[in-house]
Amino acid sequence: MTIQDRVNKLISVLDKRKAEGFNPVEVLNRKSSRKDSRQILIVGAGIAGITMAWLLYRRGFTNIQILEAESRIGGKIESTYRDEMPHEMGACYTQPAYHAIHELLVRFGLNQRIGVAGRVVHRDGGRRLPFGEDVINQLRENMGVFWKRLPRKAIGLRVLLGLERYKFIHRRKLGYYSGQLPPRPSPKILAELALPFLDWLRENNLHVLIPLFRLFQSAQGYGYLETVPAFYGLMWNTPEVIDIATEQMSGKGQGATLIKSGMISLIDALVSDMEVSIQTDICVSRIYRGDNIVVEAQDSDGKMVRIEADQIIVSAPHQKAIDWIDNPSTLERDLMSSLVSSTMTTTLQSAVQNTCEKIDSWFDNIVPGRDHRVITQRCTQAFIKPEELAKARIEDPVERVVYQYGEKPAARQEIDRHYAEHQILIDSKKHRILERRYWPTYFAHWKSKGIRDGNPWRLFDMQGLNRTWWIGSSACFESINDVVEYNLKLCDHYVDKTKSRLSR
């Protein structure tokens, strides 16, 4: 047996173990005919709260109530429709690794997905290049004279070899696993994962991938490479995601996609598929955990109401929600108060611009010190209705969603000023702001100390204590797939097992 045969056999064994473990799609499709009348109260009607309600409803829970502070449901999923075309102001993309999400889209007949490609990168000084060429240029500039002499294909091969090395290191550090949350690593590995992602890439001789991860990680609003702990980089950029990216760069596969009917259509479908009470415009102010759960809240008329429950599920921002708890444990206070958040701002605008690209990105703004500068704009019409865009006159305004990211909090006036100072908007004509959305608790995460302490796994292990469950992006990651898979892992571990805190 050759060395390659042995390697292939080992990979086959590991893949089998992975398949025999947690399977998100299998957990998603579980259903029980046994009824459970316990009162379940969910605070927050975003993707986390809605999917958890749907999962529990399918498992026989008949008394589920959701409270939402805003007048709408969906949380960070918000599709704004103009001329029957959805502009995604919040979560926007799916990709092939989103197995549970795609299973839901197929179930509800929403699986009309449109590939997203055609990104142009703008650099300081006015240079504009397609993303692939920009990556090659960055490599040539950062890797010495030798690389500048190599042809484009040779540099592309160097990138592919770097991606293979990344996958090998990822599996060596975190092992083979399914789902969003990897098994808890050793203290030594946790210390490595607490490094800033940029430092981790450099220490593992993966400099060649830095330009790619500016897009994969930072351009999605998941932290600057210079500051975000490497754990979040590895959790988001799994070997499967890297395989998909490699195929896409080779022209053989599809990457990110938009849902043609709008992301909010998935929320609407989930709600229509269950019998759950949802109350909007109600703000929680206090949660008491004694013999039962008692929640005090203020409704839209300003009236204080008291709601009792047997279990409470918190899918609101955890940094805020911990202050609602009347008697938080020391561990709860430590975990939730140490979370930090970034800010994402999305603006739907209409203008006549010199650039006619599908997606424009300004990667020079995705670094510390340039908080809240414009990082990306996307022309939805170029993907959803390209034939209409092709017929439009050059002087007709085009609608685009503009993204601004900031690691540190800022007043809305400062965010608006950075938007107004963006050169491409200054040069535009007939500019109008149609809608703007501020997300002040975007990508809640722990800093390096929290990763060294193993906070993601400490939180998972304490779920259900005091009949309290902490879910949503504050518990795992901002992407809809990770939020849903976290709920699936909770159901698999705590609801479906025979000796669990929510078992019958």
Side-chain angles (χ1 to χ4, degrees):
M1 181 181 291
T2 66
I3 293 177
Q4 185 61 49
D5 289 337
R6 291 176 181 176
V7 170
N8 291 338
K9 183 178 180 180
L10 175 61
I11 291 175
S12 177
V13 170
L14 292 172
D15 283 341
K16 183 178 179 181
R17 290 180 181 176
K18 173 182 174 181
E20 291 172 349
F22 172 67
N23 184 324
V25 173
E26 188 273 327
V27 178
L28 179 76
N29 287 323
R30 289 177 190 164
K31 190 174 182 179
S32 175
S33 59
R34 298 171 62 186
K35 302 302 180 184
D36 192 314
S37 61
R38 281 179 289 177
Q39 295 177 308
I40 309 296
L41 183 64
I42 300 175
V43 180
I47 183 67
I50 295 295
T51 56
M52 181 57 87
W54 184 81
L55 291 169
L56 293 178
Y57 177 76
R58 285 176 55 83
R59 283 158 172 76
F61 288 86
T62 59
N63 195 347
I64 303 172
Q65 183 175 4
I66 304 177
L67 306 181
E68 170 56 50
E70 295 196 34
S71 57
R72 63 174 191 88
I73 64 173
K76 292 188 181 71
I77 292 178
E78 184 173 1
S79 306
T80 296
Y81 292 85
R82 294 179 60 84
D83 297 327
E84 299 181 348
M85 182 168 57
H87 296 277
E88 304 295 359
M89 301 295 287
C92 50
Y93 300 138
T94 71
Q95 51 124 311
Y98 286 17
H99 303 295
I101 296 297
H102 293 160
E103 183 77 5
L104 288 171
L105 293 175
V106 170
R107 175 188 294 270
F108 296 124
L110 302 172
N111 202 34
Q112 285 186 286
R113 293 179 283 136
I114 299 172
V116 179
R119 185 185 300 268
V120 167
V121 178
H122 301 247
R123 291 291 177 180
D124 290 348
R127 185 179 61 183
R128 295 169 47 187
L129 285 174
F131 173 69
E133 292 185 25
D134 181 77
V135 169
I136 298 297
N137 273 10
Q138 292 298 305
L139 293 173
R140 283 179 169 151
E141 291 176 6
N142 295 329
M143 301 197 71
V145 176
F146 173 73
W147 290 96
K148 294 179 180 180
R149 298 174 180 173
L150 289 179
R152 189 176 187 273
K153 287 186 177 181
I155 297 178
L157 178 61
R158 177 69 180 87
V159 172
L160 293 177
L161 291 173
L163 291 171
E164 289 300 314
R165 175 174 169 77
Y166 172 87
K167 291 192 302 179
F168 173 79
I169 296 172
H170 192 292
R171 287 172 172 142
R172 190 179 68 188
K173 302 292 184 183
L174 297 178
Y176 284 70
Y177 63 95
S178 295
Q180 176 272 332
L181 187 66
R184 180 169 180 155
S186 68
K188 179 182 178 182
I189 300 298
L190 282 175
E192 295 178 26
L193 300 183
L195 291 172
F197 195 24
L198 183 63
D199 293 349
W200 186 91
L201 290 170
R202 287 170 173 165
E203 286 200 4
N204 286 279
N205 195 26
L206 293 169
H207 306 69
V208 68
L209 302 183
I210 292 172
L212 288 178
F213 284 121
R214 289 281 182 208
L215 171 64
F216 296 171
Q217 187 78 22
S218 300
Q220 312 305 319
Y222 301 149
Y224 298 134
L225 300 185
E226 289 83 354
T227 55
V228 67
F231 165 72
Y232 292 101
L234 272 70
M235 185 171 70
W236 174 238
N237 300 288
T238 63
E240 182 182 15
V241 169
I242 297 302
D243 282 339
I244 292 167
T246 301
E247 289 185 1
Q248 187 183 19
M249 286 187 288
S250 303
K252 299 178 182 179
Q254 189 178 62
T257 56
L258 289 166
I259 300 176
K260 188 173 183 179
S261 58
M263 190 72 77
I264 197 65
S265 64
L266 176 58
I267 296 290
D268 294 337
L270 288 165
V271 171
S272 298
D273 197 48
M274 59 182 173
E275 295 179 10
V276 171
S277 170
I278 302 177
Q279 186 174 352
T280 57
D281 289 312
I282 184 165
C283 298
V284 172
S285 57
R286 207 67 179 163
I287 299 173
Y288 299 94
R289 302 181 300 187
D291 294 335
N292 58 355
I293 304 289
V294 177
V295 174
E296 291 182 351
Q298 187 177 50
D299 64 17
S300 57
D301 296 325
K303 180 181 177 182
M304 294 299 299
V305 297
R306 288 171 63 89
I307 304 165
E308 295 189 3
D310 296 305
Q311 303 274 337
I312 187 164
I313 299 174
V314 181
S315 64
H318 296 357
Q319 307 101 304
K320 180 179 181 180
I322 190 63
D323 291 332
W324 301 337
I325 305 293
D326 182 59
N327 57 340
S329 68
T330 301
L331 179 57
E332 284 177 320
R333 178 68 71 182
D334 176 52
L335 291 176
M336 310 314 168
S337 63
S338 59
L339 285 165
V340 295
S341 291
S342 302
T343 300
M344 182 70 83
T345 304
T346 54
T347 303
L348 178 59
Q349 54 93 2
S350 174
V352 178
Q353 295 183 355
N354 294 329
T355 177
C356 299
E357 309 300 339
K358 297 178 179 179
I359 302 176
D360 298 274
S361 291
W362 289 266
F363 286 169
D364 289 328
N365 288 341
I366 316 177
V367 294
R370 291 198 174 188
D371 271 9
H372 305 291
R373 269 68 169 182
V374 171
I375 61 172
T376 297
Q377 67 174 10
R378 181 187 66 250
C379 178
T380 307
Q381 190 176 12
F383 302 104
I384 303 293
K385 297 182 178 181
E387 67 287 347
E388 291 186 8
L389 184 63
K391 294 177 183 178
R393 297 174 303 171
I394 194 169
E395 66 269 21
D396 289 340
V398 175
E399 295 173 356
R400 296 176 174 88
V401 180
V402 178
Y403 294 81
Q404 295 169 263
Y405 174 79
E407 188 177 52
K408 298 179 181 179
R412 294 188 176 184
Q413 294 89 335
E414 180 182 349
I415 296 173
D416 296 348
R417 176 173 59 82
H418 286 308
Y419 173 91
E421 291 174 348
H422 189 60
Q423 190 61 47
I424 204 166
L425 297 172
I426 292 175
D427 295 338
S428 67
K429 301 174 183 178
K430 301 180 182 179
H431 176 262
R432 289 189 301 140
I433 293 177
L434 305 176
E435 189 170 336
R436 178 168 282 159
R437 185 69 169 171
Y438 303 92
W439 307 104
T441 54
Y442 198 88
F443 181 41
H445 61 281
W446 285 286
K447 292 184 177 181
S448 294
K449 182 181 182 303
I451 300 305
R452 284 196 302 271
D453 292 343
N455 283 359
W457 297 273
R458 295 169 73 198
L459 175 57
F460 189 85
D461 290 342
M462 79 162 199
Q463 294 284 9
L465 294 178
N466 297 318
R467 289 171 291 173
T468 306
W469 307 81
W470 302 86
I471 66 173
S473 61
S474 298
C476 50
F477 209 81
E478 197 68 44
S479 84
I480 61 169
N481 186 70
D482 295 310
V483 167
V484 171
E485 286 200 355
Y486 192 84
N487 283 352
L488 292 170
K489 198 171 186 69
L490 286 176
C491 284
D492 180 59
H493 189 77
Y494 289 114
V495 182
D496 300 338
K497 306 300 183 187
T498 55
K499 295 182 180 179
S500 64
R501 294 166 193 157
L502 256 180
S503 63
R504 296 166 175 80

